[in-house]
Amino acid sequence: RTRMSIREGFSGTVGNTPLILIKSLSEATGCKILGKAEYLNPGGSVKDRPARYIIEAAIKSGELKEGGTIVEATAGNTGVGLTLVANSMGFKSHYIIPDKMSTEKIELLRTLGATVEVVPTVSRDHPEHFSKIAQRRANEIPNAFYANQFGSIPNYTSHYETTGPEIWEACSGRIDGICIAAGTGGTLAGISNYIKEKDPKTKIFLIDPPGSGVAWEPKDGALVPREKTAEEKGSASSVMEGIGSAWVYTPLAKAKIDGVFQGNDSLGIEMALYLMRNEGLLVGGSAGLNAAPKVTKLICRVP
């Protein structure tokens, strides 16, 4: 029998998720298509990694003190991860969430013990944007710390130090390409930097939904992000939560990518249902986009 190890608390169980061979996609493409099973993290998503790193860095720096309150602007999964790490360490949680987010995630956070303020969805330059309200709350609440996932280096570092190395080691350094949907960009930036350092020939792709506020342009032999103009954004939108960057966040600016795919809501949902019904993998729309045929087929053609 496989010997089971003992992990220390919630934080000790974060990471070291398996790569799962997606048999039907592998047979269809003639390549080995693997999915990183981040839903097997204890909080149910990839966001457990940055949540742990952000809190541990804040404790180390002295920004987060005993009995303190973690304040954040979140669309859901980051809040879940932060709350569970906070609960395990004796901290409180207070979140500002735009009203476009699902009722289920809002109620989940409250059930976990977090204080949740649901605010109207407004443009980023509006004084009542959810991120600006969160910054104000962090100043108003005694002994509070603003997690600021959008400007957080630990968000990026969590994937550079854990997710990237896990993928590299599991594949024994033989990787043709990786595709990642992005919100704050921490996952994309951390993995892409680590993998590119190991093998610059490995291709890294972003898949973005309509309505993303970021465009990528070639500059000095690389693709760099910039905020789209109002005309470029147009009226396109997406209902998928947590992906499609509104502007160039600090972690996203560090990403090293070779190309960008566009993927709409119907594609993400269709592929998520396909993976559930054909592979037994319970994933969401962003994971569905990562496994879309136009992505896997192109990666399989990477020389």
Side-chain angles (χ1 to χ4, degrees):
R1 295 188 306 176
T2 302
R3 183 179 177 83
M4 301 294 288
S5 61
I6 296 174
R7 307 288 182 89
E8 185 175 347
F10 180 89
S11 292
T13 64
V14 174
N16 291 307
T17 56
L19 279 176
I20 297 177
L21 177 69
I22 304 176
K23 185 178 179 181
S24 60
L25 297 183
S26 298
E27 291 176 348
T29 59
C31 299
K32 189 177 288 187
I33 305 296
L34 308 171
K36 184 75 165 148
E38 287 299 283
Y39 63 89
L40 294 179
N41 277 303
S45 86
V46 69
K47 296 296 186 178
D48 290 355
R49 296 178 189 259
R52 172 190 161 198
Y53 264 64
I54 288 170
I55 290 176
E56 290 180 349
I59 293 171
K60 185 176 181 179
S61 69
E63 295 174 273
L64 180 57
K65 299 176 176 61
E66 184 176 351
T69 299
I70 298 161
V71 178
E72 180 61 312
T74 175
N77 282 340
T78 299
V80 171
L82 286 170
T83 302
L84 293 171
V85 176
N87 289 352
S88 73
M89 295 183 174
F91 299 113
K92 297 182 285 292
S93 307
H94 188 116
Y95 304 124
I96 314 299
I97 298 182
D99 58 9
K100 66 179 181 179
M101 295 301 120
S102 69
T103 301
E104 291 83 359
K105 281 186 179 175
I106 293 169
E107 291 308 313
L108 172 60
L109 287 169
R110 287 175 172 153
T111 300
L112 294 175
T115 298
V116 178
E117 291 184 59
V118 181
V119 301
T121 301
V122 296
S123 62
R124 179 166 64 97
D125 56 359
H126 195 286
E128 296 303 307
H129 186 266
F130 77 119
S131 65
K132 294 179 180 178
I133 295 175
Q135 292 176 54
R136 293 203 298 271
R137 292 292 183 275
N139 291 325
E140 295 164 356
I141 298 171
N143 195 20
F145 161 71
Y146 178 39
N148 189 21
Q149 60 177 314
F150 305 107
S152 170
I153 295 303
N155 181 353
Y156 154 84
T157 309
S158 68
H159 298 290
Y160 179 82
E161 293 185 354
T162 69
T163 325
E166 288 171 26
I167 293 170
W168 180 260
E169 290 166 14
C171 294
S172 301
R174 298 190 298 272
I175 306 170
D176 295 308
I178 300 174
C179 184
I180 304 169
T184 64
T187 308
L188 178 66
I191 292 174
S192 64
N193 275 270
Y194 182 85
I195 298 298
K196 287 287 190 183
E197 286 177 13
K198 288 293 187 179
D199 182 5
K201 296 190 296 297
T202 300
K203 301 299 182 183
I204 309 291
F205 299 96
L206 163 69
I207 186 161
D208 234 4
S212 170
V214 175
W216 294 78
E217 296 180 333
K219 181 180 180 182
D220 300 327
L223 286 176
V224 295
R226 65 163 176 81
E227 188 168 347
K228 289 180 180 177
T229 64
E231 292 75 19
E232 288 174 317
K233 291 179 185 177
S235 59
S237 63
S238 171
V239 299
M240 282 190 286
E241 300 174 3
I243 61 172
S245 307
W247 65 92
V248 182
Y249 308 125
T250 300
L252 184 67
K254 297 177 71 65
K256 295 181 178 180
I257 67 172
D258 298 284
V260 181
F261 295 101
Q262 291 293 315
N264 59 23
D265 294 336
S266 60
L267 176 62
I269 293 168
E270 178 185 336
M271 282 305 299
L273 290 172
Y274 174 87
L275 291 170
M276 281 187 269
R277 293 169 179 171
N278 293 274
E279 296 285 345
L281 301 175
L282 185 60
V283 299
S286 58
L289 286 180
N290 291 337
K294 65 180 180 181
V295 174
T296 54
K297 287 178 181 177
L298 178 66
I299 289 177
C300 282
R301 292 199 300 268
V302 171

